[in-house]
Amino acid sequence: MTHNDCIFCQILAGNAPAAWVVDDGPIVAFMDIFPLQPGHVLVIPREHHQYVTELDSYTRGLLMETAARIATAMRVIHPAGTDLNWVINDGKAAWQHVPHVHLHLLPRSGRDNLSLINRMATRFMRKPDMTAFEADAARIRAVLEHS
Ligand code: 5GP
Ligand code: ZN
């Protein structure tokens, strides 16, 4: 069910823009609009649920499988290797800001100096221009299309 006050449901309904990485099937993915690192991807089930435990087991498994395909594509784009934080914030006290299950694929390098704990909790700024992310999404899509 689409939730009017859920930004991810609004994106899925076509009422808000997104730089899509995967836009078909029960699991979709798009670029994070407030990236913690360049190339930050969100993988989400189409169905609105707040908690991972509310997903049926098929959807929960497919979330992981889809994320794995995307992670592999991200590594093709960065041949030197992309280390990733796979993060699910599951509930408000666990830094979940959007109450619709999502898995963050967050590229990391040994030199990025990212303090994940500090930034996860307090990272929201003015929304950037969506076109900034379309090129990143297109590069991952191109690899997925040939995998
Ligand atoms: P959470 O804090 O709930 O784990 O993560 C929610 C994520 O959604 C954040 O990383 C945030 O940047 C991202 N986000 C919030 N609003 C939008 C939006 O309108 N579009 C996109 N693409 N990402 C969003
Ligand atoms: Zn939703």
Side-chain angles (χ1 to χ4, degrees):
M1 200 174 88
T2 297
H3 286 232
N4 288 337
D5 53 357
C6 169
I7 181 61
F8 292 170
C9 283
Q10 290 307 313
I11 289 171
L12 284 161
N15 298 332
W20 292 100
V21 173
V22 172
D23 67 356
D24 56 348
I27 307 293
V28 300
F30 45 81
M31 306 311 293
D32 194 303
I33 206 174
F34 305 104
L36 288 167
Q37 287 283 102
H40 183 168
V41 173
L42 297 172
V43 189
I44 77 168
R46 198 173 282 280
E47 254 181 41
H48 180 99
H49 293 287
Q50 178 168 9
Y51 296 104
V52 173
T53 45
E54 292 171 343
L55 300 176
D56 63 73
S57 61
Y58 172 77
T59 305
R60 192 162 44 233
L62 198 59
L63 177 70
M64 198 51 126
E65 286 306 313
T66 307
R69 278 184 54 228
I70 295 167
T72 303
M74 291 164 80
R75 291 193 168 113
V76 171
I77 289 169
H78 301 283
T82 303
D83 289 349
L84 298 166
N85 283 114
W86 297 50
V87 178
I88 296 180
N89 296 328
D90 199 37
K92 207 168 175 184
W95 307 323
Q96 186 179 24
H97 297 90
V98 177
H100 184 133
V101 172
H102 49 282
L103 191 160
H104 299 260
L105 290 176
L106 182 58
R108 298 301 308 275
S109 83
R111 298 173 304 282
D112 63 33
N113 284 324
L114 176 64
S115 171
L116 191 54
I117 290 179
N118 291 340
R119 293 283 315 282
M120 263 295 170
T122 58
R123 67 190 179 288
F124 296 105
M125 314 154 248
R126 201 165 58 82
K127 288 205 179 187
D129 176 4
M130 284 307 298
T131 55
F133 304 109
E134 182 46 36
D136 289 334
R139 290 172 75 205
I140 302 173
R141 280 201 310 269
V143 177
L144 286 173
E145 275 161 23
H146 296 98
S147 65

